[in-house]
């Protein structure tokens, strides 16, 4: 471990650790954000783990649908596709920031939407049916 620190330096190692922690927080946000909604607050939702899983899956499904739609749009418009390829092939901070905005922000937006959308309806979805008979 000390060889790695000596090779890259302590400052770069701290930056890499920070980037890794930020990526982990961003990538797992579709599951911990709804979990905070389900477990926290004054009204705890019934079956909070199931809520977190459903909201996370809904957020990822909406996110992937958006990515597929963007890809189909790029394939359908060749001039736009050539311009995007030129922009993303250019090394630099602008291309990196554009990719982070295009791919990162929608996931967080869909996560907030899924937690809010499902959270408002979750108690009714998980409520037992009035016709249900208790198990003997």
């Amino acid at each position: 471990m000390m060889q790695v620190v000596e090779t890259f330096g302590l400052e770069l190692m701290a930056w890499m650790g920070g980037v890794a922690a930020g990526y982990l927080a961003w990538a797992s946000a579709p599951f911990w954000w709804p979990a905070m909604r389900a477990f926290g607050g004054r009204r705890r939702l019934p079956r909070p783990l199931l809520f977190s899983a459903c909201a996370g899956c809904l957020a990822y499904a909406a996110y992937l649908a958006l990515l597929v739609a963007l890809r189909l749009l790029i394939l359908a418009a060749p001039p736009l596709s050539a311009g995007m390829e030129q922009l993303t092939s250019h090394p630099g901070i602008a291309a990196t920031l554009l990719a982070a905005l295009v791919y990162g922000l929608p996931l967080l937006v869909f996560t907030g939407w899924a937690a809010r959308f499902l959270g408002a309806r979750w108690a009714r979805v998980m409520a037992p049916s009035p016709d249900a008979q208790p198990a003997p």
Side-chain angles (χ1 to χ4, degrees):
M1 181 68 182
M2 288 306 293
Q3 281 182 326
V4 174
V5 172
E6 289 174 3
T7 303
F8 292 115
L10 191 58
E11 185 177 330
L12 182 60
M13 291 297 294
W15 270 101
M16 289 191 305
V19 167
Y23 179 77
L24 178 65
W26 168 77
S28 62
F31 296 102
W32 61 257
W33 189 337
M36 287 179 16
R37 164 68 176 93
F39 286 105
R42 57 187 181 273
R43 293 184 338 189
R44 183 177 168 157
L45 295 176
R47 302 185 69 182
L49 291 177
L50 182 62
F51 171 77
S52 299
C54 287
C57 291
L58 182 64
Y60 270 120
Y63 176 67
L64 290 177
L66 174 75
L67 291 181
V68 168
L70 283 175
R71 186 63 183 161
L72 288 175
L73 179 67
I74 289 172
L75 289 175
L80 180 63
S81 177
M84 288 297 286
E85 286 177 13
Q86 182 181 6
L87 178 65
T88 57
S89 67
H90 178 68
I93 192 77
T96 305
L97 287 177
L98 179 66
L101 287 176
V102 168
Y103 292 116
L105 285 178
L107 180 61
L108 294 178
V109 168
F110 286 132
T111 299
W113 169 80
R116 185 173 272 212
F117 177 79
L118 273 180
R121 294 158 177 81
W122 192 252
R124 289 185 305 232
V125 170
M126 287 293 118
S129 167
D131 298 332
Q133 298 293 326

